[in-house]
């Protein structure tokens, strides 16, 4: 796994920590004020605690959503198995495990590719099937190394750089 900071970037990780930290401090203060009757509406009447909860809900939604995204990106990991019969890639995230496999004779090529946003991928070209792109979340150097390793193990001709 890339880790929480490397998986999402330092700015997003820091923003999430600060955002959720502020919410952890402000929520008890706001709920406590509502329970004591210190929160007032426009007319000066005490507000019901439900209004405080409704007010805080979108802020907590954003904090929990970004926190979940950081955990997803930071803790995902992949396993690659190449044997005489198939190439299998299993990716485990906080939401479960996804496995993909291809028979060796289906694999036409394994190559390094980039998207328009300069994201590095390992592209698995298959005979008669659409290309499958993997590991777009990994570092470019790691993806290039993995492509070279798999091409070597699969006996594919090395491309001169």
């Amino acid at each position: 796994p890339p880790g929480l900071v490397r998986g999402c970037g330092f700015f997003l990780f820091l923003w999430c920590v600060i955002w959720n930290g502020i919410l952890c401090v402000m929520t008890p203060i706001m709920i406590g004020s509502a329970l004591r009757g210190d929160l007032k509406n426009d007319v000066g009447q005490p507000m019901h605690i439900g209004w405080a909860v409704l007010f805080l809900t979108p802020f907590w939604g954003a904090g929990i959503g970004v926190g979940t995204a950081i955990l997803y990106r930071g803790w995902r990991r992949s396993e690659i198995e190449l044997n005489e019969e198939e190439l299998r890639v299993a990716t485990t995230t906080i939401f479960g495990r996804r496995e993909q496999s291809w028979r060796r004779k289906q694999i036409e090529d394994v190559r390094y590719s980039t998207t328009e946003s300069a994201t590095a991928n390992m592209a698995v070209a298959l005979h008669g099937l659409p290309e499958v792109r993997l590991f777009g979340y990994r570092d470019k150097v790691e993806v290039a190394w993995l492509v070279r390793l798999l091409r070597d193990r699969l006996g594919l001709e090395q491309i001169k750089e």
Side-chain angles (χ1 to χ4, degrees):
L4 296 179
V5 175
R6 196 172 124 207
C8 67
F10 179 74
F11 175 76
L12 185 61
F13 179 77
L14 182 64
W15 180 87
C16 183
V17 169
I18 292 170
W19 181 270
N20 287 313
I22 290 170
L23 283 175
C24 286
V25 171
M26 294 306 296
T27 298
I29 292 171
M30 188 170 218
I31 297 295
S33 295
L35 288 172
R36 285 189 310 274
D38 293 341
L39 283 181
K40 310 279 186 200
N41 62 14
D42 296 348
V43 187
Q45 299 292 326
M47 293 179 71
H48 189 272
I49 189 170
W51 290 111
V53 172
L54 283 174
F55 176 79
L56 290 168
T57 299
F59 297 102
W60 274 107
I64 291 170
V66 172
T68 302
I70 288 172
L71 291 176
Y72 173 80
R73 294 181 70 166
W75 287 350
R76 63 184 162 185
R77 67 180 189 280
S78 295
E79 301 166 19
I80 302 169
E81 179 184 340
L82 177 64
N83 58 39
E84 291 79 28
E85 297 177 16
E86 69 179 1
L87 169 63
R88 185 182 62 80
V89 177
T91 303
T92 305
T93 70
I94 61 174
F95 299 116
R97 184 176 173 91
R98 178 177 174 226
E99 291 191 27
Q100 297 174 283
S101 63
W102 306 277
R103 312 267 328 141
R104 273 182 94 134
K105 57 186 166 193
Q106 282 182 294
I107 301 171
E108 183 179 326
D109 194 12
V110 175
R111 62 181 163 266
Y112 179 90
S113 70
T114 56
T115 62
E116 292 173 6
S117 62
T119 303
N121 290 287
M122 179 180 83
V124 180
L126 305 166
H127 294 287
L129 294 171
E131 180 177 90
V132 178
R133 292 179 180 225
L134 303 164
F135 308 115
Y137 59 93
R138 300 305 299 194
D139 183 76
K140 292 177 182 182
V141 174
E142 291 173 298
V143 174
W145 170 80
L146 183 58
V147 167
R148 284 193 305 273
L149 182 67
L150 284 175
R151 288 184 64 77
D152 181 56
R153 297 294 192 273
L154 287 165
L156 297 172
E157 184 180 308
Q158 290 297 325
I159 298 172
K160 295 182 178 44
E161 297 179 18

